[in-house]
Amino acid sequence: MRRAARLLLLVLALGFCPPLPAPAQSPTPDSPTYGAYPENYQELVTEWLNASMVDHESIRLKFLGAPKPGVLAVGNQQVAGYVVEFSVNARNVFGAFTGSQKHRALVRNGQVLTATGFLSR
């Protein structure tokens, strides 16, 4: 009898629980807010790194997932695009490897606009 009463209380309690909110919809590729989805994001980020790094021949690059819609600071304003997470291990100006470091790049309409953790040359 106690088991049936507990089950009844559980069913009643669940009936009074508010419904869970619907999961947020992720933007579709080519959304005007984020620009065109960067299918060739690996090539874009690699080319950007080659142009930005002191010793681009030593770059050991690992991508940490597919691009996701997001926002990063470009100058003094926040810009929406697709954020690409990656790690880089490369030689510094003294010729020593820095160790693997995580970075994020903002890609919008086929162009890397900015990346976190890099000094501009």
Side-chain angles (χ1 to χ4, degrees):
M1 187 64 151
R2 285 186 179 190
R3 188 173 184 183
R6 285 183 188 166
L7 184 59
L8 180 61
L9 284 176
L10 179 64
V11 169
L12 289 173
L14 290 176
F16 292 111
C17 289
L20 294 174
Q25 296 292 326
S26 61
T28 58
D30 299 332
S31 163
T33 304
Y34 300 100
Y37 183 83
E39 296 290 341
N40 62 336
Y41 68 93
Q42 292 180 345
E43 179 183 329
L44 293 170
V45 171
T46 302
E47 288 175 6
W48 183 86
L49 282 171
N50 286 339
S52 301
M53 301 290 286
V54 174
D55 184 1
H56 65 273
E57 293 176 3
S58 71
I59 295 173
R60 296 178 183 162
L61 176 63
K62 180 181 178 185
F63 289 95
L64 304 176
K68 296 178 181 150
V71 176
L72 286 180
V74 177
N76 293 331
Q77 63 186 143
Q78 298 289 316
V79 178
Y82 286 90
V83 177
V84 179
E85 293 185 343
F86 58 97
S87 65
V88 174
N89 187 6
R91 293 185 190 275
N92 60 19
V93 292
F94 302 108
F97 277 96
T98 60
S100 185
Q101 300 176 13
K102 288 185 180 181
H103 300 280
R104 294 181 301 165
L106 182 72
V107 178
R108 184 175 174 101
N109 296 329
Q111 187 176 17
V112 175
L113 299 181
T114 190
T116 60
F118 291 99
L119 299 175
S120 41
R121 289 167 66 175

